[in-house]
Amino acid sequence: MALKRDLYRALEDVVGKENISEDPVILYSYAWRSGLIATPQLFVPTFEAVTLPRNTEEVQAIVKLCNRFKIQYKASSTGWGPYCDPTGPGVIKLDLRRMDRIIEINEKNMYAVVEPYVIYAQLQGELMKRGLVCNITGAGSNCSALPIAAHQGIGHMSQSASYGERNLLGVEWVAPDGEIIRLGSLGASSQWFCGDGPGPSLRGVIRGNTVPLGGLGVYTRAAQKVYHWPGPATFPIEGVSPDYKPSEIPAGFMVRYLHFPSADIMTQAVRKVGESEIGFILMGFNPAMVCGNKARSNEEDVALFKKYTDEVQGPGFLLIIAGNSPDDFEYKKEALQQIMQEFNGKSLKDVEDPENAGGFIWRFTRVTGSLRETCRATGCFGGEVGGTDVFGLMRTYISRASKVKQSYIDKGLLHADGTDPFVQSIEHGHQGHGELLIRYKPSNPESAMAAREIFMVANRTAVEGKFGVPAHVWSDEIHDMFGPHTSNYTRWLRKIKKAFDPNAASESSHYISAKE
Ligand SMILES: Cc1cc2nc3c(=O)[nH]c(=O)nc-3n(C[C@H](O)[C@H](O)[C@H](O)COP(=O)(O)OP(=O)(O)OC[C@H]3O[C@@H](n4cnc5c(N)ncnc54)[C@H](O)[C@@H]3O)c2cc1C
């Protein structure tokens, strides 16, 4: 369906001729997805037009035009996630890549304000120069540094630097009908330091467990809390990706992959590491993910996986320690030593080898290995993403789905990368989050269906076992599966959608619709 000419011309007037297109070549380039669990086709529906707004006023003008002409829109920051796609016709894209400025780094009050196309790699580099660091979504530092773009925003540094919803401060929001709303302290002053006030506190409206995935207007700027960085202002890097590493391991840094006799014992060790606050990064990676971080090819990955699984005695986690001073570093190493003794922990040799350790520290801190950690071999991301709760509970939940994964590995439908789930600790153990990754073959419908079946089993497990709402709750269908078991939160979510988006202009197929 071609856009009405008067709408197209009005959009052109907003962004300029060179920043809008309805050329099929451009539209199809936005529609390519290399295999998805829910929709394993390679092309998704195309947008009617793509626009590249430069600032908040242009975003607002586009949103108002969409409301007036009764057409939908959808924004994206880097366009990394499949939830950036429309699921049917009649949608205009707002590609925010021209909004790429770091607005402010406030060293004294420890926050940073960015536009949507600033990526974490940029922000982290600027912060490190100032002795600061931020959490980075586990999806990688190539993703938007806007703390309300990433799906959940949990990442490698969440042990010491929390994540998305908890770090979010002031936000500038073009609401679904085009009104500009400034949240938190920004609503009462020009200051970004607080997400809840003075000024309107709508944090629970604009995001909850996950962000609305494009279904509730457009966020044009946002502030996030940043943290102390104990490392150097710059990392002198040598080599070529993924084989690059700092020329020397920064003083006060140490990386280990620690493995334990059983999952229960490992969970106790994670708790102790949290209590003693020694972890800069604590990721419950399984050996497959550690191999993925390092391996340069599938062949190397398979060989490393065998080597690592032969060596580990049981479940483990990746730990990076960063000392704030030589004494602090000594204290942290000593505390770790005691924890290792108490819980019979052992360290994987390949990771602590000084030849490899610098590279691991760099790739995990810079968050450059995510794609390999999650998509090695098949190029696809598949798995179940649990919710966020107590570490032990999340581990129990996500472990249940691993049994069905094993049955598909046995049938040859999934790649055998082990079934131990990946569980991570957040805020020194205050919270936990678990995921079960699956290496499936998108070109094989049976394999794609196996991945989907694990996803559905995990959803049923969450309901029956009362494990809370997982993060993969996208669409009316999945929300309606959880709503009746969780105080009918869906009624409130739909009321919010209806109140803020009376014309249903903000395309919300990955969020929720306002249907009764
Ligand atoms: C391999 C892989 C690993 C991942 N690992 C993690 C992980 O460890 N932790 C985690 O939290 N997530 C993870 N994810 C999901 C991930 O968070 C998102 O895919 C990623 O953050 C999206 O990049 P982005 O932040 O640039 O947002 P985009 O991909 O551009 O957008 C994400 C969603 O938010 C909406 N959106 C984006 N920007 C705006 C805006 N300015 N205004 C309104 N709506 C907007 C989009 O419509 C879309 O629905 C992973 C994804 C992949 C593919």
Side-chain angles (χ1 to χ4, degrees), residues 100 102 117-127 141 366:
D100 58 359
I102 297 177
Y117 202 67
V118 173
I119 61 167
Y120 274 116
Q122 285 170 275
L123 183 63
Q124 188 193 53
E126 290 303 322
L127 289 172
S141 53
R366 189 66 172 158

Side-chain angles (χ1 to χ4, degrees), residues 14 38 85 91 97 127 175 184 237 250 262 310 319 345 378 408 433 459 466:
V14 173
D85 305 328
V91 188
R97 71 182 59 224
L127 289 172
I237 295 301
S262 73
D310 283 351
L319 182 72
T378 58
Y408 286 116
H433 168 74
N459 279 337
K466 304 197 172 18

